Amino acid sequence: MNYTTQMDAAKKGIITPEIRKVAEKENIQIELLRERVAKGTVAIPANKNHKSLNPEGIGEGLRTKINVNLGISKDCCDVEKEFDKVKLAIDMKAEAIMDLSCYGKTEEFRKKLIDYSPAIIGTVPMYDAVGFYDKELKDLTADDLFRVVEKHAQDGVDFMTIHAGMNLETADIFKRNPRLGGIVSRGGSILYAWMELNGQENPFFEQYDRLLNICQEYDVTLSLGDACRPGAIEDSTDPSQIKELMTLGELTKRAWEKNVQVMIEGPGHMAINEIQANMMLEKKLCHGAPFYVLGPIVTDVAPGYDHITSAIGGAIAAANGADFLCYVTPAEHLRLPDIDDMKEGIIASKIAAHAGDIGKGIKGAREWDNKMSKARNNLDWEEMFKLCIDEEKARRYRESSMPEDEKTCTMCGKMCAVRNMNKVMEGKNINILREDD
């Protein structure tokens, strides 16, 4: 039986190789996964032209996935250095990579990335449009924008961020409700500017069926972008954000009618006490579609530490239903991240995702922690290292400061609670000041 997309196959009762693979990875019943893909609450981004893909599922009942942003810019356009980041992201088992390249040989970098990467690949075609045509923003036509989308789809991009919810109505809401931080989405701001400069409706909203036809042909998952995501905690959950989210919910249903998979992108900067409500709103307004969040970053005052502020928000978001976390590095708001920044961001995001999985009861999530707890109780350092989210750092820290009693660490030495409880529970003597018997 023929099918056009993963969703089309799932609706027809077909178990695709991608559905089978994801079911094995997630230890979930194949039929249950198929039902969720058919319903739209799980997406399996898998472009027909991405031949090196090792598929992942994003959504209801599955592990929280993480995305790594990278790509060349005018100020940092070393392709080889940027590809070193690709290799690191894959080595660290990030499930997705977004190529946000916006200058120079974007096509060359994108094709190399797709050929190499087993991870899901995403892009924002709007970033590429100005450079692709060597035209100023005002001079780009709707046809120009759609040709870039189709080129990315042909190249094998698995999911694309398209800011289709930034329409004239949303723009009017934004104008009537001034923000402290304005519009901070790069793609959203570019589209808003294009609309203002040309006095026209957003082509991706106005010709939405044309966009869906491209996605359907190549099985591109549509990541409906949040042009009005808050860039300051003061702006979160405001009329612009909620109006756009309502529009995205309507666009989600239209995409599903054409068997196009959808993810919804979300905040952004957000006060910690608003995160739970925002997760509920997205799931309600967007009919349970997978939710992809940047952070949320829970305070605006920590440049250099935004991998921490986002991990705090990401853990809360994931525990309350977010399905996909975009990593944030210490370089956020400051510069393009380097390799060390990337590693810090990936680790922070993986911690947040795993903490969220424990909170929402994902099958098997606690087992990892329970194994670590057992190893700690046994003072089995080798097993602890193997279970670490970052084995290299854990080993380096321990080896930099070794205790007299090799079973303990230099924090407590022979006063180690675990050491002494193990001994006393075994009926042994505890020597703290002298050598053991």
Side-chain angles (χ1 to χ4, degrees):
M1 190 181 292
N2 293 326
Y3 59 90
T4 55
T5 67
Q6 294 294 322
M7 176 174 268
D8 183 39
K11 287 179 180 178
K12 291 174 177 175
I14 300 170
I15 303 297
T16 66
E18 291 80 11
I19 290 175
R20 188 174 300 279
K21 180 71 172 178
V22 170
E24 290 172 0
K25 285 183 176 183
E26 300 283 347
N27 193 23
I28 187 174
Q29 293 180 355
I30 288 181
E31 183 58 22
L32 178 59
L33 179 62
R34 184 199 64 77
E35 289 175 0
R36 290 175 179 173
V37 174
K39 190 169 61 171
T41 59
V42 167
I44 301 178
N47 188 308
K48 297 170 184 176
N49 292 337
H50 187 179
K51 305 303 182 184
S52 61
L53 178 68
N54 187 350
E56 296 283 355
I58 300 167
E60 182 184 1
L62 307 183
R63 290 181 300 105
T64 306
K65 307 305 188 297
I66 72 163
N67 170 71
V68 168
N69 288 341
L70 44 78
I72 50 178
S73 68
K74 186 172 184 178
D75 294 308
C76 297
C77 54
D78 189 321
V79 172
E80 291 307 313
K81 277 188 178 180
E82 211 60 24
F83 212 79
D84 287 341
K85 297 179 185 177
V86 171
K87 294 173 182 176
L88 175 67
I90 291 169
D91 288 346
M92 293 185 72
K93 297 182 170 55
E95 289 88 3
I97 296 172
M98 284 201 82
D99 174 16
L100 304 186
S101 295
C102 58
Y103 177 79
K105 298 178 181 179
T106 57
E107 182 178 354
E108 176 187 319
F109 182 79
R110 182 171 61 251
K111 286 184 173 180
K112 183 178 179 181
L113 171 62
I114 291 166
D115 286 344
Y116 178 84
S117 176
I120 303 164
I121 300 301
T123 60
V124 187
M126 196 69 198
Y127 293 179
D128 197 23
V130 174
F132 187 84
Y133 292 106
D134 193 23
K135 288 183 180 181
E136 288 301 330
L137 181 62
K138 184 179 186 301
D139 299 325
L140 292 172
T141 67
D143 288 341
D144 289 338
L145 300 182
F146 279 100
R147 277 195 290 270
V148 173
V149 170
E150 186 148 24
K151 184 69 178 73
H152 283 220
Q154 289 171 345
D155 289 346
V157 171
D158 300 299
F159 72 98
M160 293 186 205
T161 294
I162 305 288
H163 296 88
M166 171 47 79
N167 57 14
L168 291 174
E169 191 176 357
T170 303
D172 282 342
I173 293 286
F174 168 73
K175 291 172 186 175
R176 296 201 306 268
N177 296 271
R179 281 180 154 188
L180 189 61
I183 293 176
V184 301
S185 161
R186 179 166 36 165
S189 67
I190 292 170
L191 261 174
Y192 179 89
W194 185 93
M195 292 161 62
E196 289 289 299
L197 291 169
N198 289 284
Q200 295 181 32
E201 179 59 277
N202 178 353
F204 296 126
F205 177 79
E206 191 171 45
Q207 301 182 52
Y208 188 60
D209 285 335
R210 182 178 179 183
L211 175 64
L212 294 179
N213 290 339
I214 296 171
C215 293
Q216 185 184 59
E217 182 177 354
Y218 297 94
D219 198 359
V220 173
T221 296
L222 189 55
S223 188
L224 289 170
D226 51 338
C228 293
R229 74 166 182 261
I233 61 169
E234 181 66 20
D235 299 333
S236 60
T237 328
D238 74 342
S240 299
Q241 181 195 336
I242 300 306
K243 172 61 181 70
E244 184 180 30
L245 190 61
M246 292 168 65
T247 303
L248 298 185
E250 295 171 355
L251 296 177
T252 295
K253 293 182 80 171
R254 287 177 59 187
W256 287 347
E257 288 168 3
K258 289 205 169 188
N259 297 318
V260 173
Q261 300 184 104
V262 172
M263 299 186 292
I264 305 296
E265 296 188 13
H269 292 232
M270 178 164 288
I272 198 168
N273 58 306
E274 296 180 30
I275 295 173
Q276 182 179 13
N278 270 262
M279 300 306 105
M280 182 189 71
L281 274 172
E282 184 278 339
K283 291 294 182 177
K284 181 71 174 177
L285 295 175
C286 297
H287 321 291
F291 200 19
Y292 173 28
V293 297
L294 178 68
I297 290 173
V298 295
T299 178
D300 299 332
V301 298
Y305 299 91
D306 277 325
H307 59 310
I308 297 173
T309 64
S310 72
I312 293 167
I316 296 169
N320 285 281
D323 307 289
F324 194 21
L325 305 182
C326 186
Y327 92 148
V328 174
T329 77
E332 185 78 7
H333 302 108
L334 302 171
R335 61 169 169 80
L336 194 74
D338 63 18
I339 285 280
D340 291 335
D341 297 326
M342 274 192 66
K343 184 172 182 180
E344 291 291 315
I346 291 170
I347 293 296
S349 192
K350 285 169 78 79
I351 292 168
H354 180 61
D357 286 348
I358 294 170
K360 62 187 170 189
I362 295 297
K363 185 178 180 181
R366 280 181 178 263
E367 291 177 13
W368 185 7
D369 296 77
N370 291 343
K371 287 177 182 177
M372 176 63 87
S373 295
K374 183 177 180 182
R376 281 181 173 150
N377 193 56
N378 292 338
L379 293 172
D380 185 343
W381 290 95
E382 278 305 310
E383 182 67 9
M384 283 187 255
F385 292 142
K386 290 175 186 175
L387 291 166
C388 284
I389 206 162
D390 183 357
E391 179 178 348
E392 182 277 328
K393 186 173 185 178
R395 284 185 181 276
R396 175 162 46 86
Y397 268 55
R398 175 157 173 81
E399 290 168 3
S400 71
S401 181
M402 292 297 293
E404 177 187 355
D405 182 341
E406 64 180 20
K407 280 282 189 180
T408 67
C409 77
T410 52
M411 173 73 78
C412 300
K414 287 189 174 182
M415 288 189 180
C416 171
V418 178
R419 168 191 183 270
N420 293 335
M421 284 302 299
N422 286 346
K423 280 179 170 288
V424 78
M425 294 301 290
E426 292 168 7
K428 296 179 179 178
N429 187 28
I430 299 172
N431 291 333
I432 293 176
L433 300 177
R434 297 170 181 80
E435 293 294 324
D436 286 340
D437 295 333

